[in-house]
Amino acid sequence: MPPSIRKTVQYRCEDGRDASVDFFDDGRSVFLRQDGGIRKLVAPKAGAPFSTDSLTLTSEGNKLTLTRRGGKSVHCQS
């Protein structure tokens, strides 16, 4: 069976955009909803940053950081 959603968290980012993240109970995958789209990001192991080929997502407590390829980061808070 696929992993279940452990929690969904809404964030407000410093650039004025909203983001919603579904954290799965496997600790290795998330769905990021932003700008009307959805992306699946995967971590190589539980506790590592989640990523795609163009985006990395890290979270700690109520803070989220989205880093795009090239190094531009956006910080968000729930």
Side-chain angles (χ1 to χ4, degrees), residues 12 17 33 38 72:
R12 182 73 165 168
R17 296 189 295 170
R33 290 180 176 82
I38 185 169
K72 180 172 166 112

Side-chain angles (χ1 to χ4, degrees), residues 11-19 34 74-75:
Y11 296 91
R12 182 73 165 168
C13 301
E14 64 189 0
D15 62 2
R17 296 189 295 170
D18 294 322
Q34 191 176 37
V74 175
H75 302 282

Side-chain angles (χ1 to χ4, degrees), residues 58-77:
T58 56
S59 67
E60 185 174 331
N62 67 339
K63 296 182 180 182
L64 179 79
T65 301
L66 300 170
T67 305
R68 306 225 182 261
R69 184 185 301 183
K72 180 172 166 112
S73 294
V74 175
H75 302 282
C76 310
Q77 189 165 333

Side-chain angles (χ1 to χ4, degrees), residues 20 22 24 30-41:
S20 175
D22 295 329
F24 288 85
V30 297
F31 283 148
L32 169 66
R33 290 180 176 82
Q34 191 176 37
D35 300 330
I38 185 169
R39 291 183 185 196
K40 181 178 182 179
L41 293 89

